Amino acid sequence: MSLVLLAFGIRFLLYSFLYNPWWCLPIELLQGVTFGLFYATMASYASIVAPPGTEATVQGLVGAIFEGVGVSLGSLIGGTLYDQQGGSFTFRMFGIGSLVLCLLHFIIQRLLGKSLNYVIKAKGSYVAHFTLPPDEFRYNET
């Protein structure tokens, strides 16, 4: 996820400094990297944190929230900022925000470590056991 946030931050910052619209074409090459990595990471995290037997349901729910709520709110907030502040400001703020979140995510992942285990219990009986999602492209080995 840190890599995804870094790629988004770079991409948005590059857009914020554009003066020639033709430079959008090389920057758009990052779209495949950012969206492809993000969607794969999102689905992987959803699968890892889902209780056994509910992986597909959780992946579908996360995807629906991203495509529905995320895209809707992003369009509303981004469009409002773009209208009021201009494109350069909007892309610069989202770029800086992505880089800040990238750094924050990286630090939290290092502080928490990769071996925090959680056990969910219902009325004293064992229900589910799962591990925090590892960094991108590493699989849960428990």
Side-chain angles (χ1 to χ4, degrees):
M1 189 55 112
S2 297
L3 181 61
V4 172
L5 290 167
L6 178 66
F8 270 120
I10 290 170
R11 186 168 154 224
F12 292 155
L13 284 176
L14 287 173
Y15 278 130
S16 77
F17 294 112
L18 279 183
Y19 289 101
N20 183 345
W22 284 103
W23 282 104
C24 282
L25 295 176
I27 294 172
E28 274 299 301
L29 293 174
L30 286 174
Q31 167 64 8
V33 174
T34 54
F35 186 77
L37 281 176
F38 169 72
Y39 214 84
T41 302
M42 178 182 70
S44 175
Y45 275 18
S47 178
I48 291 169
V49 300
T54 64
E55 292 87 356
T57 303
V58 173
Q59 284 179 346
L61 183 63
V62 169
I65 290 170
F66 165 72
E67 294 290 344
V69 176
V71 171
S72 299
L73 279 178
S75 296
L76 177 67
I77 295 168
T80 303
L81 273 174
Y82 194 94
D83 187 47
Q84 293 177 357
Q85 301 295 326
S88 210
F89 175 83
T90 301
F91 278 107
R92 196 162 297 135
M93 289 302 104
F94 279 110
I96 291 169
S98 291
L99 293 176
V100 167
L101 289 174
C102 171
L103 182 63
L104 186 64
H105 183 268
F106 182 79
I107 290 170
I108 289 172
Q109 286 293 317
R110 295 300 162 244
L111 289 176
L112 289 178
K114 296 175 186 67
S115 62
L116 291 177
N117 292 322
Y118 290 94
V119 176
I120 299 173
K121 293 184 178 181
K123 298 181 183 175
S125 64
Y126 177 79
V127 176
H129 179 262
F130 63 95
T131 305
L132 283 179
D135 284 338
E136 45 275 353
F137 303 117
R138 292 189 187 151
Y139 294 99
N140 186 4
E141 297 178 2
T142 59

